[in-house]
C-alpha cells in the first residue's frame, strides 16, 4: 500500500485548525467561512464536517487548542526561569525576558492573538467557548500571583500594590500590545512594552 494514500484523521484535523487560525487572525471569526477554511486547508467539505459538525464547533476546538498550547508554553518558560535562578524576582524577570526575546524574533506577517480576536467578537460564541477565554486569563493570574507572592515575601514592594491586579499586568500588557501592533503596524511594540514591565518590577521591588 502506498503510505502517501493512507488517511491520517489527526493530521487532517490539525490542517483544518491551522488554516482556520490564520484566516481568523487575518479576517476575524465572522468573516471566515467554511469554504475559505476548506480551500486553505486543501480538503473537501465532507472532510471538514467529519471533524467539525459546525463552524462554532471549529471555533471552540481552535481556542481550546490555543489555550492548551499557551499554558504549556508558559509553564515551560517558567520552569526554564526557575532552573536558571533561585531568586523569585530574578525568575519573574527572566520569564518576562524570555517572552520579550520571542516577541523580538517574530516576523511579518504579524500573527496577532487568537484570544483577542475572539473577545472582539464575543457575541458570536457560546458560553462554553467564552469560559475557555476566561480560564486562560485566570490561569495567567494564578501562575503570576503565586510567583509574585514569593517575590513580595523576599522583596517588600516600595509602593502599595493590589496583588491580583499586579498579577494580571503581564497578560494585560501583552494583549493590549497585540492590539497596538495591529493598529500601528509596529512589531516592536510587544517587546518594548514587556521591557517597560521588567523595569517597573525592578523598581517596585528594589531594596
Amino acid at each position: 500500500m502506498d503510505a502517501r494514500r493512507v488517511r491520517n484523521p489527526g493530521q487532517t484535523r490539525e490542517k483544518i485548525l491551522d488554516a482556520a487560525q490564520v484566516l481568523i487572525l487575518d479576517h476575524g471569526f465572522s468573516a471566515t467561512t467554511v469554504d475559505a477554511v476548506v480551500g486553505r486547508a486543501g480538503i473537501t467539505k465532507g472532510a471538514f464536517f467529519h471533524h467539525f459538525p459546525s463552524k462554532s464547533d471549529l471555533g471552540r476546538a481552535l481556542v481550546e487548542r490555543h489555550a492548551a498550547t499557551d499554558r504549556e508554553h508558559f509553564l515551560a518558560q517558567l520552569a526554564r526561569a526557575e532552573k536558571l535562578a533561585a531568586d523569585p524576582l530574578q525568575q519573574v524577570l527572566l520569564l518576562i525576558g524570555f517572552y520579550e526575546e520571542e516577541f523580538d524574533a517574530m516576523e511579518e506577517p504579524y500573527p496577532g492573538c487568537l484570544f483577542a480576536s475572539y473577545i472582539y467578537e464575543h457575541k458570536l460564541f457560546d458560553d462554553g467557548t467564552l469560559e475557555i477565554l476566561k480560564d486562560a486569563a485566570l490561569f495567567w493570574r494564578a501562575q503570576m500571583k503565586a510567583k509574585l507572592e514569593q517575590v513580595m515575601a523576599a522583596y517588600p514592594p516600595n509602593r502599595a500594590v493590589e496583588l491580583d491586579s499586579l498579577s494580571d499586568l503581564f497578560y494585560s500588557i501583552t494583549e493590549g500590545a497585540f492590539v497596538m501592533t495591529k493598529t500601528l503596524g509596529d512589531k516592536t511594540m510587544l517587546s518594548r512594552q514587556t521591557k517597560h514591565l521588567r523595569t517597573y518590577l525592578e523598581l517596585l521591588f528594589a531594596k
Side-chain angles (χ1 to χ4, degrees), residues 63-201:
V63 79
E64 284 177 338
R65 185 182 73 161
H66 185 74
T69 301
D70 185 66
R71 286 193 300 271
E72 290 168 6
H73 183 63
F74 177 92
L75 293 174
Q77 296 292 56
L78 178 59
R80 181 183 170 200
E82 291 174 338
K83 183 177 181 179
L84 292 174
D87 181 84
L89 178 56
Q90 291 306 310
Q91 291 170 353
V92 171
L93 297 177
L94 281 169
L95 174 66
I96 296 170
F98 295 153
Y99 276 92
E100 185 181 323
E101 288 179 347
E102 291 181 355
F103 297 149
D104 270 331
M106 286 182 175
E107 300 177 354
E108 299 290 351
Y110 201 71
C113 177
L114 197 67
F115 291 146
S117 296
Y118 274 52
I119 287 298
Y120 299 150
E121 300 184 283
H122 67 277
K123 291 184 179 180
L124 300 177
F125 301 105
D126 60 24
D127 290 343
T129 301
L130 296 177
E131 194 67 22
I132 296 168
L133 301 176
K134 180 179 178 181
D135 288 346
L138 291 176
F139 168 81
W140 276 76
R141 175 187 289 178
Q143 293 294 321
M144 293 300 294
K145 184 175 181 178
K147 187 55 61 178
L148 287 170
E149 285 174 339
Q150 297 175 15
V151 174
M152 292 175 71
Y155 301 89
N158 298 313
R159 296 288 188 275
V161 294
E162 197 279 306
L163 188 54
D164 277 351
S165 180
L166 182 61
S167 302
D168 289 338
L169 193 55
F170 187 22
Y171 189 90
S172 300
I173 284 175
T174 53
E175 291 300 319
F178 273 117
V179 176
M180 291 292 289
T181 298
K182 287 284 192 179
T183 302
L184 302 178
D186 180 1
K187 82 179 193 72
T188 70
M189 183 67 68
L190 267 163
S191 62
R192 289 191 291 116
Q193 292 299 313
T194 50
K195 188 176 295 183
H196 282 308
L197 175 58
R198 283 199 296 117
T199 300
Y200 169 70
L201 293 175

